[in-house]
Amino acid sequence: MSAAGVTVRRVRAGEGARVRELRLRAVSDPAASIAFLTTYEQERDRDPAFWDERAAGGAAGDTAAMFVAEDGDAWVGTVTVLVRRAGDVDHTGRRLHDARADVVGVWVDPAARGTGTIDALLDAAARWTRDQGFEVLALDVHVDNARARAVYRRAGFVPTGEEFTGPIGPELAMSRSLRTL
C-alpha cells in the first residue's frame, strides 16, 4: 500500500534495532504521555533481545502484526495489531469477554502527518485483521487526545460508548467495522 510516496509493509524479523529506533522517536513525541503506556526511559533501557523479539512477533504469525510506513529508507510511521482471545487481559488491564483485535502503538512522524500515511497504516491493519477472521478492529484513545480521536474518526472508527480509566488516564473505546473491506 502506498500514500504520498510512502510504502506500508509488515515489519520483518531481524529489524529489531529499527523497531527500537522508531519506538524511541514515538515515545519522544510531545503527545506521548497521552498516547503510549511507556516512557522514553523505559523503552531506551530495554535489552536488544526485546526489540528482536518484538520485530519477530510482529513479522509473522496470527497473534500480532506490526506495520511500518517507509519513505525511501526512512521509517515514518507504525501501527500494531494485537489479537486477544476471550479471557485475556488487554494492554489496559481489562479482562476480555470476547476475542478482539486491538490497534496499539500508532505513531506517524510529524513531517509525514497530513500525507495519508496514517490512513495507509490503519487500512493495512484493518485488512490484516479482517484476514484473521475479525469483523471489527478496536482501539482505545485518551479522551484528551483530540488529534488522535479526529484521525481515528476519519479512518472509520466510531466510539463504542465504553469509557474507562486506564494506565494513562481517562480513555474511550472506538471500533471500525471491517465488513465492507
Side-chain angles (χ1 to χ4, degrees):
M1 157 139 316
S2 195
V6 171
T7 301
V8 173
R9 66 166 174 87
R10 198 160 174 188
V11 71
R12 297 181 189 113
E15 292 183 321
R18 293 191 78 188
V19 169
R20 177 184 187 269
E21 185 272 330
L22 187 64
R23 181 66 175 193
L24 290 175
R25 287 171 49 209
V27 296
S28 296
D29 190 294
S33 65
I34 61 170
F36 295 104
L37 300 179
T38 57
T39 65
Y40 177 87
E41 292 75 22
Q42 289 170 316
E43 300 292 23
R44 178 198 63 210
D45 293 343
R46 292 186 193 274
D47 187 87
F50 171 88
W51 300 106
D52 292 338
E53 290 172 21
R54 180 169 275 185
D62 59 1
T63 59
M66 180 180 186
F67 297 92
V68 293
E70 295 179 307
D71 187 355
D73 291 334
W75 284 9
V76 297
T78 185
V79 64
T80 297
V81 179
L82 301 176
V83 172
R84 320 285 187 156
R85 301 295 171 205
D88 286 354
V89 175
D90 75 3
H91 58 285
T92 66
R94 295 174 295 171
R95 184 160 306 278
L96 302 178
H97 300 290
D98 299 306
R100 188 171 81 197
D102 288 321
V103 171
V104 298
V106 179
W107 184 75
V108 173
D109 185 279
R113 293 176 186 159
T115 66
T117 299
I118 189 64
D119 301 303
L121 283 162
L122 290 170
D123 287 346
R127 281 192 304 281
W128 182 85
T129 302
R130 182 205 55 216
D131 291 347
Q132 302 310 303
F134 288 88
E135 293 183 352
V136 173
L137 183 57
L139 60 81
D140 303 315
V141 61
H142 194 284
V143 297
D144 293 336
N145 196 342
R147 183 184 73 200
R149 284 194 339 265
V151 166
Y152 296 142
R153 278 193 179 104
R154 192 184 75 244
F157 288 85
V158 296
T160 65
E162 179 185 4
E163 295 189 25
F164 61 97
T165 300
I168 58 174
E171 297 189 67
L172 67 97
M174 299 180 82
S175 66
R176 174 179 172 179
S177 174
L178 305 177
R179 292 184 185 112
T180 59
L181 285 181

